[in-house]
Amino acid sequence: MTFDTGPAHRAPLQSCGCPGPAGRACRRGISNGVHVSTPKTKILLLSLSLSIAAALAACKKPDAPTAAAPAPAPAADTAAPKALRVDQSRLPPFSGFQIGDLDPAVNVCSDLNAYANARWLKANPVPGDRTSWGSFEVLSERSEAIQQQLAEQAAADTAASGVEKIVGDFWATGMDEARIEQQGLAPIKDELAAIDGLGDQAKITDYLRTRAAKGQNALFGFGASPDFNNSDMNIAYAFQGGLGLPDPEYYTGAENKPKLDAYQAHIARTLELAGVAADAAAAQARDVIAFETRLAKVSKTSTELSRKVELAYNPVSLEQADQLTPNWSWSEFFKSQGVAAPQMFSLAIPAFHQEVSKMLADTAPAAWQAYLRFHTIDSASPYLSKPFVDENFAFWNQTLRGQKEIRPRWKRVLATLNRQAGETLGQLYVKTTFPPEAKAQMEALVGNLRTALKARIEQLDWMSPQTKQKALAKWETFTPKIGYPDKWREWSGLNTSGDSYLGNVLAAQQFNYRFDLSKIGKPVDRTEWGMTPQTINAYYNPQQNEIVFPAAILQPPFFDPKADPAMNYGGIGAVIGHEMTHGYDDQGAKFGPKGNFENWWTQADEQGFKSRTGKLVEQFNGYTTADGGKVRGDLTLGENIADLGGLNTAYDAMKVAEQGKPDPKVDGLTQDQRFFLNWATVWRRNFTPEELAVRLKTDPHAPANFRAIGAPSNMPAFAQAFDCKPGDAMVRTGEQQVVIW
């Protein structure tokens, strides 16, 4: 459950067994920008609902992130460099709230977002190399500039070892455009030749297992994650996957046909680039679309997955699984992956796997070859020569998301490094950029928010003492993680070189997959992080009942050690409250204090909770984008609950912390006004129309402008701060007002 997990760019060549909890952990969070999504083997990272699915298949990881001011470095891997430097003069500036951003022509009681952000949004259109632009992206640019300096220094050190060598190898090979152009399609020739030889079911099945063992499962997600019934132990999960497009909905419905047709044309062009004759490429493209459409019909949508976390958990024995999929032996699959036969694993979305089994028997080998051939080429395209890069960009970024220009190579290389070995760069990042005092201040803020949340739970008038006691028991076990891991992951087994960019990507992919599989049947390591320190985001993990705040988000407009408290409470304070509230959203509330999947509600309280959350669904169902797009209140419910609870909790914490202190106006604004205005500043964001259309279908976060107004409009404190009256658009009263946590 991430603070910001909207799709932005696809993550090519991602394994289905993603490293660490990055793709699992049922994370719920706050953002909806600067994030890498992968339509390949895509198991929706369900930022706000279903992380298990994510590790298991799409391993979505964030694009290059952020930084803060230089300071003494925390301890890190002994192999990390000792003399890295960041030139602050080369970094883009921060972008935070400015009094001049306010638009006096807008009534704040009608639209807080327009009042706080309209001027900035008009002056800051989406750059050509992005599909969205706002507070998160501004921090991303700053972070990328820092990471570029670190990667350049690592690559220049010919004697580098450990994590510095990995960073340097990725950077050097990724930036060696001449060698990549010279290699052309050569890096995947052997893989394509193997696909050409798949003439029957037995060979196809063996190939799928072999490819999965390399971390390249084309069909479904597979990896380790905590057992829903015993969160201290990892078990294996298999999940749906196999689709290229972001959601099953893209394969059905007349309104989606233009994108489906464009995808089919992209498939044909990609195959032609690899040497397939035009007529044959067109025929194979039709086969791929038919293949994926069949999978889409038995796949769950983003909305279904976001609201039913339990879909991830379907415990079965190997014998039971083999009976469900007679043409796909799970016993043989586990053996081929080097995983000991378990007594039980989770075969999530069983109808999907049953359909795959049927397709192994009734789908012609030529169709399987077309599907595997295309996805092999398409996944590798970002790391191949220019024609493949350009075609890959033209569909996935330009057509699907409205991005006008391809990002500079150095930024794409950093994004790849972050996806494949982000924590190696993270060690260098925290050594050079993260101030220890920021961590100390964050710990104090977290303590204040914890206290405020406890008080809110204790004062609930709609919850019985019995359920309230259980809610407080969960509150007692919240674990905060701030900045960076206390224990770094071991990377010594990843062997990179200066020879091949794609070779390094594939090596990391297999290394990460093996790392993930090594956890199956073993105790959960609760020191692991699901995000790198340089990620501009935050998340809640219900299976560990932890709230996590990477170093990179601890910057303006979220957090500034020198800022007015109202700004910090309206920024990072609301983020903290948001992540805590995820423990009590409609999905997080299905997990108990120890992270086990359990119902701790009385029946009456559960019904009361659903009634209140239903009103929030209705509220967001009523929001429409400028071009007529409809927000899905059910898809976005978890995030909207977290925003509402988090902002209320942050406001309470601020009032307690500042009680008895004078409230001198700053730029003519009261403390309460500054609090709400900084909340709105966090959510300033422009989107390309295409990007917004994708998000409305797949993103568990509502568009940013609606997040800016959604929670405040339910808070009497907002109306009081700006002297708004009943009947104003920003004032919800009576049955319209939503009060939950």
Side-chain angles (χ1 to χ4, degrees), residues 103 106-113 115-116 677 718 722 724 730:
D103 188 345
V106 176
N107 182 355
V108 65
C109 297
S110 297
D111 188 342
L112 169 63
N113 179 68
Y115 177 70
L677 288 169
F718 172 81
F722 292 97
C724 301
M730 285 295 303

Side-chain angles (χ1 to χ4, degrees), residues 342-409:
Q343 291 185 338
M344 176 273 287
F345 76 105
S346 178
L347 185 67
I349 323 297
F352 172 87
H353 299 286
Q354 288 177 301
E355 190 67 13
V356 170
S357 176
K358 293 175 185 175
M359 293 172 71
L360 284 167
D362 65 22
T363 301
W368 276 95
Q369 288 173 308
Y371 172 80
L372 294 168
R373 183 179 296 116
F374 162 67
H375 283 293
T376 295
I377 301 166
D378 195 53
S379 292
S381 288
Y383 316 110
L384 298 176
S385 56
K386 190 174 187 299
F388 293 95
V389 171
D390 288 347
E391 173 55 36
N392 189 270
F393 166 78
F395 175 71
W396 293 112
N397 299 77
Q398 198 166 40
T399 298
L400 193 61
R401 300 188 180 277
Q403 186 174 327
K404 296 178 178 62
E405 305 166 7
I406 194 167
R407 303 202 80 200
R409 172 170 285 275

